[in-house]
Amino acid sequence: MLGFTKFKINRLVNRRELYSNFSYNKWNQLDTGSKWKCLQQLENHFAAEQGRPAVKVLQISSKEVRGDYGGYDPDKNVIYINRDLVEYGTLVGPVDINHPTQLDANMQLFDTIAHEGYHAYQGYAIKHPGFHKDMKQVKEWAINDRNVKYFRRGDEYLVQPRERDAWKYGSEKTREAFDEIEKYYGTEPGRAMYEKSVEDNSYENALERLWNNNPDALNQMYKEMMDAYEERYWENNSTVNLDPITVDEYDAISREAVNRYYEHLKNNPSLSNEDVMRMTGDMSEKYFSAVEEYKNAVQQKEKSEDRGEKENRTEKYEAQNPENRSIFNPDRVSVEEYDKTLRDQVNKYYEHLKNDPSLSNEDVMRMTEEMSEKYLTAVEEYRNAQKQEDEGFQEKSGDKESTEKRYKKEEIEKENPEHKRDVENQRKEEVEEENKSEKKDKLENREDEKDYEEEGAENKDKTETLSEDELEEERWNESESEDEAELLSDKAEAGEEQNAEDKFYDVLEEVPRVRKDLGEPPLVTPSSQIVGTQAVFNVLMGERYKMVTKETKAVLSGEYGKTVKPFNKEVQKKCIGDKEPITCRPADLIPDELDTLRGEMAQWSEQDEDVLSYALFPQVATDFFKYREAQQTKVDATVADSKNGAYPV
């Protein structure tokens, strides 16, 4: 075992001296205490380089950190490092057969300090606007805050803004440092291992994996972050000193994502240029739609805030100037006052024109007359608007009389109480007359309903005399074609034709019963539609399987294949009668057409694939065969005179 050397940490070391202690040989010669001091010194170095206060580097057990290298706690503002990685060079405890020393432990610790320290830098930049020059990047970190929206799942963890930038910073600083270390101390034993871990967890590779599963994943992540950010910082009036991301910044983020996606597709050898352009176009539309939605949300928010600011300014002004609180006269301007105001304006306009030396008297009179006409029209419109307003108010208040009449009536009733009693008695008589009229109308309506019910009873008796088969035939014969019958089925399914929206829950209860009768087929297309439609008919007809769709008959006849469970024999008998159901594979009943197809296209057949092409697309395949023959023989059959056996030269 190598002997330990004490590392003097009492003084500030320079960068080269600090980095040298992380070389493989020198790191493994340090005692545990010196290693922890080196880690703290490294954090101090990066903090000074970034211009932020340094944070403490503390130990944490491998269980608490879940076997990872470490982490940053923003609440306590400390960096935690896996104790086992420092003491043993492994992530999960002492060295043994199952847990050998990790060759790149020294490099991973260096990277972890740089990475987690950058998280501290991100938090500091958010709280101190202007500290980090790239405000777009700061705002990305803000919407990705742990208290707002932070992704902890799979590749989404690696591509979110905070982790993306911290990974980049950590790997760049580590590579830079160890390039320098290897100049003086030789190749690092764990360099290849470290580079592979960086490559596997890189932003680019994580993004590629994410896109392979869901091309819209990055856009969805940003939308989730923006929604959470708005809810926390806008609606809750947070004191965080940070403006929301602008529309231009959000647009730039979206465009960058589209460009990265394009580069990703372009490097995929399995995709053609057409596929790349098509998929990129689809992605562009999604991102631009997201930008438009964000723009509308921002505009709506700004309008709301403007209204709130105006109201606050008004309230503040009135509080500071109470003498002006009631400066506005709530009484509306009369027509006469409005007319006088406009006449004054016309007179002033006339005086203005008269003093203009460039205008003749004729011009002055003509222009004044035009202005007068406009103002007179305005007065008339104002008079009509007031009249409509008065009438509307009277109708809203339930008063059919004019305001003047109402006032005169009140004066008369005040002076003559007997007149008031006479008016009230008259009103009572009018009300009684109205009630009598309403009762008469109701009675007439009841008689009409009775006649209707009697007619319906006759039709019902007629219907009951028909057999089930006759009833079904009569019902479906009402449609002139199969398309009309399908339309009728759709209407019945929606409950439109019978106005049976109230039977919705009855249909829901009927669906599992129908499914059981049909052998419990899976509720996917087309069996889900078949079961649903039949359930609707069962409820609307008032009798189960009184009307049966042709698709239901096909299922019970075995045309859709064998179901998981057997059919309800009684239902099967009721729906298809004595028809013999299919018990074999339905496709086996289809005649073999291969020989027929080969005979039909024998003149064009050059390979087995030609028969398949003709079977699937006979017309298209025939045109292709003719084109192929023309290319081979240099004779175009479309311009040949087959009747006379001639070909143009």
Side-chain angles (χ1 to χ4, degrees):
M1 191 162 181
L2 296 172
F4 292 110
T5 61
K6 271 290 186 183
F7 173 62
K8 303 293 184 182
I9 200 72
N10 298 328
R11 59 186 176 87
L12 185 65
V13 296
N14 60 36
R15 186 171 64 90
R16 182 182 294 181
E17 186 178 352
L18 174 63
Y19 285 7
S20 67
N21 288 285
F22 286 89
S23 67
Y24 181 82
N25 292 328
K26 206 167 180 180
W27 178 258
N28 289 306
Q29 292 176 10
L30 295 174
D31 59 31
T32 303
S34 297
K35 289 180 179 179
W36 285 107
K37 290 177 181 179
C38 280
L39 293 173
Q40 182 64 66
Q41 187 66 39
L42 186 62
E43 156 56 16
N44 297 345
H45 167 72
F46 286 134
E49 194 174 70
Q50 296 165 0
R52 62 170 175 84
V55 302
K56 289 185 178 180
V57 178
L58 303 178
Q59 306 177 29
I60 192 171
S61 67
S62 59
K63 292 182 179 180
E64 291 180 278
V65 81
R66 299 178 182 177
D68 207 344
Y69 296 111
Y72 170 70
D73 188 338
D75 297 328
K76 298 179 180 179
N77 195 30
V78 296
I79 295 175
Y80 290 110
I81 298 295
N82 190 329
R83 185 190 304 129
D84 292 341
L85 190 64
V86 176
E87 293 182 8
Y88 307 111
T90 70
L91 290 171
V92 289
V95 177
D96 56 27
I97 296 176
N98 298 320
H99 304 108
T101 301
Q102 194 170 313
L103 293 177
D104 64 342
N106 56 323
M107 298 186 71
Q108 292 290 358
L109 285 166
F110 192 102
D111 190 323
T112 302
I113 291 293
H115 178 113
E116 304 303 338
Y118 199 76
H119 284 320
Y121 174 81
Q122 291 168 338
Y124 189 82
I126 292 173
K127 295 178 181 178
H128 299 81
F131 177 75
H132 187 74
K133 301 303 181 185
D134 190 348
M135 280 304 297
K136 172 194 167 186
Q137 197 174 28
V138 176
K139 290 174 181 180
E140 282 191 280
W141 298 338
I143 67 172
N144 190 210
D145 187 79
R146 292 176 184 268
N147 295 321
V148 181
K149 188 66 181 178
Y150 185 77
F151 298 89
R152 303 181 185 277
R153 50 186 187 264
D155 291 320
E156 289 183 345
Y157 169 81
L158 296 172
V159 302
Q160 60 188 328
R162 286 211 176 205
E163 293 300 329
R164 175 198 66 198
D165 297 336
W167 274 96
K168 181 181 179 182
Y169 181 84
S171 60
E172 287 180 352
K173 285 295 180 181
T174 304
R175 284 167 170 167
E176 177 188 310
F178 280 85
D179 286 344
E180 186 176 340
I181 289 171
E182 288 184 328
K183 289 180 181 179
Y184 298 97
Y185 299 95
T187 304
E188 284 288 314
R191 185 66 184 260
M193 182 183 294
Y194 171 78
E195 293 292 346
K196 186 178 184 306
S197 71
V198 171
E199 184 69 19
D200 292 342
N201 296 291
S202 67
Y203 171 81
E204 290 76 15
N205 284 339
L207 189 61
E208 183 177 357
R209 292 191 297 267
L210 200 63
W211 273 334
N212 290 336
N213 294 325
N214 179 15
D216 198 33
L218 200 62
N219 181 44
Q220 291 173 358
M221 287 177 63
Y222 269 95
K223 190 176 185 308
E224 286 183 43
M225 288 189 288
M226 288 305 305
D227 291 343
Y229 181 78
E230 290 177 15
E231 181 180 352
R232 185 170 183 86
Y233 290 128
W234 281 353
E235 295 182 5
N236 296 340
N237 297 319
S238 174
T239 57
V240 174
N241 186 15
L242 184 70
D243 295 330
I245 288 180
T246 65
V247 176
D248 293 337
E249 290 170 336
Y250 190 72
D251 179 66
I253 294 171
S254 302
R255 289 178 182 273
E256 186 180 353
V258 173
N259 292 334
R260 286 175 177 168
Y261 185 61
Y262 168 72
E263 294 295 331
H264 161 67
L265 297 177
K266 199 169 62 171
N267 295 326
N268 190 339
S270 65
L271 296 176
S272 64
N273 289 334
E274 291 78 11
D275 292 334
V276 171
M277 297 307 297
R278 175 181 55 79
M279 295 170 71
T280 304
D282 294 342
M283 179 62 71
S284 299
E285 290 180 3
K286 291 180 179 179
Y287 277 112
F288 295 149
S289 298
V291 171
E292 189 64 26
E293 290 176 3
Y294 183 71
K295 180 181 178 181
N296 295 334
V298 170
Q299 289 176 349
Q300 188 175 358
K301 184 68 180 178
E302 288 175 349
K303 289 180 181 178
S304 176
E305 289 177 347
D306 289 342
R307 287 195 297 270
E309 287 178 5
K310 288 179 180 179
E311 292 174 359
N312 292 333
R313 283 199 300 269
T314 303
E315 293 176 358
K316 186 177 180 181
Y317 175 77
E318 290 180 350
Q320 295 174 351
N321 304 274
E323 69 278 3
N324 297 332
R325 185 182 296 275
S326 302
I327 195 170
F328 174 70
N329 186 3
D331 297 333
R332 73 182 181 186
V333 178
S334 66
V335 177
E336 291 76 16
E337 291 171 330
Y338 188 69
D339 179 63
K340 184 178 182 303
T341 303
L342 297 187
R343 287 179 182 273
D344 291 342
Q345 293 296 324
V346 172
N347 292 333
K348 289 179 181 179
Y349 184 66
Y350 170 72
E351 294 295 333
H352 166 70
L353 297 177
K354 197 168 64 170
N355 294 326
D356 191 341
S358 64
L359 297 174
S360 64
N361 289 332
E362 291 79 11
D363 292 334
V364 170
M365 296 306 296
R366 176 180 54 79
M367 295 171 70
T368 305
E369 185 178 355
E370 291 176 355
M371 180 63 73
S372 299
E373 290 179 0
K374 291 181 180 179
Y375 278 117
L376 291 173
T377 302
V379 171
E380 188 63 29
E381 290 177 352
Y382 185 72
R383 181 182 286 108
N384 294 334
Q386 282 206 354
K387 185 178 179 183
Q388 291 178 2
E389 185 180 346
D390 291 339
E391 291 175 353
F393 174 78
Q394 292 160 13
E395 291 178 1
K396 189 176 180 180
S397 62
D399 192 354
K400 304 295 183 182
E401 299 174 300
S402 67
T403 306
E404 293 180 1
K405 287 183 177 180
R406 187 169 72 250
Y407 288 155
K408 288 181 180 179
K409 177 183 168 184
E410 291 175 354
E411 290 177 0
I412 293 171
E413 291 175 351
K414 188 175 180 181
E415 296 176 357
N416 189 1
E418 294 180 0
H419 176 76
K420 184 178 180 180
R421 285 196 297 272
D422 294 339
V423 172
E424 289 177 353
N425 292 332
Q426 185 180 354
R427 181 58 185 161
K428 285 181 182 178
E429 291 176 0
E430 290 176 356
V431 171
E432 289 177 0
E433 191 67 28
E434 289 176 0
N435 292 336
K436 288 180 182 179
S437 178
E438 289 178 2
K439 288 180 181 179
K440 185 178 178 182
D441 293 339
K442 286 181 181 180
L443 184 61
E444 291 176 355
N445 291 334
R446 285 178 183 175
E447 291 176 355
D448 293 339
E449 289 176 2
K450 187 177 179 182
D451 296 338
Y452 180 79
E453 288 175 358
E454 290 176 355
E455 184 180 350
E458 292 177 3
N459 294 333
K460 185 178 180 182
D461 294 338
K462 180 182 177 182
T463 303
E464 288 177 350
T465 58
L466 299 175
S467 66
E468 293 175 359
D469 294 337
E470 290 173 338
L471 179 63
E472 181 182 344
E473 184 178 355
E474 183 181 346
R475 181 74 172 122
W476 287 100
N477 285 341
E478 292 178 0
S479 304
E480 296 179 359
S481 65
E482 184 176 328
D483 292 338
E484 291 182 3
E486 291 179 359
L487 180 61
L488 179 64
S489 173
D490 293 339
K491 286 184 176 181
E493 185 176 0
E496 294 175 356
E497 193 164 291
Q498 279 76 13
N499 192 24
E501 292 87 350
D502 59 316
K503 293 182 172 60
F504 175 73
Y505 292 101
D506 295 336
V507 172
L508 294 181
E509 293 176 357
E510 178 66 10
V511 167
R513 291 196 288 267
V514 173
R515 185 184 179 220
K516 187 176 181 181
D517 292 339
L518 301 188
E520 297 192 4
L523 292 182
V524 295
T525 301
S527 55
S528 59
Q529 288 87 338
I530 297 172
V531 172
T533 302
Q534 189 58 56
V536 171
F537 279 132
N538 289 355
V539 173
L540 293 181
M541 295 297 105
E543 180 183 337
R544 303 186 77 229
Y545 303 103
K546 190 174 184 178
M547 181 182 295
V548 185
T549 65
K550 64 178 187 282
E551 290 82 7
T552 302
K553 291 181 178 180
V555 172
L556 294 170
S557 300
E559 295 178 15
Y560 284 86
K562 187 178 180 181
T563 54
V564 178
K565 294 184 179 180
F567 303 130
N568 186 321
K569 296 295 184 183
E570 295 180 1
V571 172
Q572 188 181 31
K573 178 70 174 177
K574 184 175 183 178
C575 294
I576 67 173
D578 296 329
K579 181 180 178 181
E580 188 67 26
I582 298 172
T583 57
C584 63
R585 181 173 173 268
D588 294 341
L589 301 176
I590 301 174
D592 189 355
E593 297 180 345
L594 184 59
D595 293 337
T596 304
L597 293 170
R598 280 174 174 163
E600 291 178 357
M601 53 82 62
Q603 61 175 319
W604 311 112
S605 181
E606 294 182 3
Q607 52 192 355
D608 293 340
E609 288 80 358
D610 292 344
V611 182
L612 180 60
S613 299
Y614 180 79
L616 295 172
F617 314 103
Q619 186 59 50
V620 177
T622 301
D623 293 341
F624 169 73
F625 296 150
K626 291 179 180 178
Y627 171 79
R628 183 177 65 183
E629 184 183 58
Q631 295 296 314
Q632 294 171 348
T633 62
K634 306 301 180 183
V635 176
D636 190 352
T638 58
V639 299
D641 186 356
S642 57
K643 184 177 180 180
N644 298 315
Y647 188 80
V649 179

